[in-house]
Amino acid sequence: MPSNARSIASLTISFGLVAIPVKLYSATVSSERISFNLLRQKDGSRVKQQYVSVNDGKVVERSEMTKGYEFAKDQYVMFSPQELKALEDATTHTIDIGQFVPLESVDPVYFDGTYYLAPDKGGAKPYSLLAAALKRAKQCALGRWTSRGKEHIIVLRPIDDGLAMHQLHFKAEVRTMKELGIEAAPVSEPELKLANQLIEHLSAKRFDPNEFVDEHRGRVEAAIQRKVEGQEVTLAEPTTSSGSSNVVDLMEALKASLNAKGSKTADVKERKSPKRAPAPAEPAPGKKSSRR
């Protein structure tokens, strides 16, 4: 791992009689997020959050607080910190692997958080073996892990030469599409054919994160820099949405999309196509060419 990456925890992957010591790292960089603080407008002073009692409007200090569960409207049962601690699952330092399944069988809607695993002391060989075996079998490992008082389902999958760990939601935590009451609308074969043609035109071999840049972050950073330099930040003109609230002819919309994509593709190909080098000049009459 890079020198600036700090391990979150030391764990052990366990399956069968195999134990692999690993270190856990966050896969995302929180420092890359831009956050703003709340200030008092007249003097720029930081403000702090306070909790106020609903009954009398008085400020409640943290030392006076406890947690409670609302079992009926405005009725609570209170739990002390000791009682809540007793309800927690004991934190474990072991990832217990129970199954191996194809990664595509795990719907992304269940994914919660992503971490990286790196081999700890003495774990390089079995770590590399597990990563290589998963890659060859085109499988991922399903297991359980308890952290911060809560049990999690996890998935281990090979990535590059290492392993990534995805924390999953439990089934009860995921809403089903049936709850939305969506009714399927009839789709004609010509409409489906045009839609598939548009998908083919926009298809790529794989997802490339380099093609996607956080443009909003760039605008925010530029605005912050102008503010630091004492300049005013001008408001951007509102963009006109290309969508329409009116129902348009679906076939015409698909055809127009295909035509627009076709012209853009042609322009890109023309810009990217290398210019051909001029053909070598023919030797003058009476002179032999030096080429053999």
Side-chain angles (χ1 to χ4, degrees):
M1 298 294 291
S3 59
N4 59 346
R6 293 187 178 181
S7 171
I8 301 173
S10 294
L11 306 173
T12 300
I13 301 173
S14 175
F15 65 101
L17 298 177
V18 180
I20 308 172
V22 295
K23 286 188 175 294
L24 182 73
Y25 295 85
S26 175
T28 56
V29 185
S30 59
S31 61
E32 293 298 311
R33 301 171 188 159
I34 297 177
S35 60
F36 292 88
N37 295 306
L38 289 174
L39 310 175
R40 186 164 59 185
Q41 189 174 12
K42 68 176 183 179
D43 60 1
S45 172
R46 283 284 299 272
V47 298
K48 66 178 182 179
Q49 188 180 47
Q50 289 184 316
Y51 291 90
V52 177
S53 171
V54 175
N55 290 343
D56 54 21
K58 293 183 178 180
V59 175
V60 181
E61 299 298 331
R62 288 189 176 273
S63 59
E64 302 176 88
M65 295 182 190
T66 190
K67 290 186 176 181
Y69 178 81
E70 187 178 24
F71 65 92
K73 179 65 175 176
D74 296 329
Q75 291 184 290
Y76 301 87
V77 285
M78 290 190 290
F79 285 82
S80 68
Q82 293 77 15
E83 289 173 322
L84 291 174
K85 190 71 176 176
L87 293 174
E88 292 182 354
D89 291 323
T91 297
T92 63
H93 297 281
T94 302
I95 300 170
D96 290 313
I97 302 303
Q99 290 182 339
F100 294 93
V101 299
L103 182 61
E104 58 268 21
S105 68
V106 184
D107 195 308
V109 74
Y110 286 94
F111 285 21
D112 184 16
T114 301
Y115 301 87
Y116 289 148
L117 296 175
D120 206 348
K121 185 177 181 181
K125 180 75 173 182
Y127 174 93
S128 298
L129 179 60
L130 177 60
L134 289 174
K135 188 177 294 186
R136 174 174 290 186
K138 297 182 179 178
Q139 300 273 303
C140 66
L142 276 176
R144 292 174 178 266
W145 172 50
T146 302
S147 172
R148 297 177 181 177
K150 187 178 184 300
E151 187 180 46
H152 303 280
I153 315 171
I154 60 92
V155 157
L156 299 184
R157 70 176 180 92
I159 177 172
D160 295 331
D161 294 324
L163 292 170
M165 185 179 85
H166 299 283
Q167 199 167 283
L168 304 183
H169 292 289
F170 283 96
K171 189 177 186 301
E173 298 173 322
V174 178
R175 179 179 286 116
T176 65
M177 288 293 290
K178 291 181 180 179
E179 296 179 43
L180 306 184
I182 299 173
E183 294 183 6
V187 177
S188 68
E189 186 60 33
E191 291 170 340
L192 188 59
K193 185 177 180 180
L194 274 176
N196 283 335
Q197 288 179 8
L198 183 57
I199 290 173
E200 289 176 6
H201 276 288
L202 295 171
S203 293
K205 290 184 178 180
R206 59 183 300 171
F207 166 65
D208 183 2
N210 295 314
E211 293 184 4
F212 299 88
V213 179
D214 190 347
E215 297 179 354
H216 174 263
R217 178 184 175 86
R219 290 196 301 272
V220 173
E221 287 179 336
I224 291 173
Q225 186 58 36
R226 290 197 298 273
K227 281 281 191 178
V228 171
E229 295 171 354
Q231 303 177 27
E232 289 295 326
V233 177
T234 56
L235 297 177
E237 291 293 330
T239 56
T240 304
S241 174
S242 58
S244 173
S245 59
N246 299 324
V247 177
V248 297
D249 187 281
L250 185 56
M251 290 290 286
E252 292 302 319
L254 288 169
K255 289 176 182 177
S257 300
L258 279 169
N259 291 335
K261 177 59 183 173
S263 60
K264 288 181 180 179
T265 304
D267 291 341
V268 171
K269 286 184 177 179
E270 185 177 349
R271 289 196 300 269
K272 289 186 175 181
S273 59
K275 295 181 180 180
R276 293 183 178 179
E282 292 295 328
K287 292 185 178 180
K288 293 183 179 179
S289 172
S290 61
R291 296 173 61 188
R292 293 184 180 180

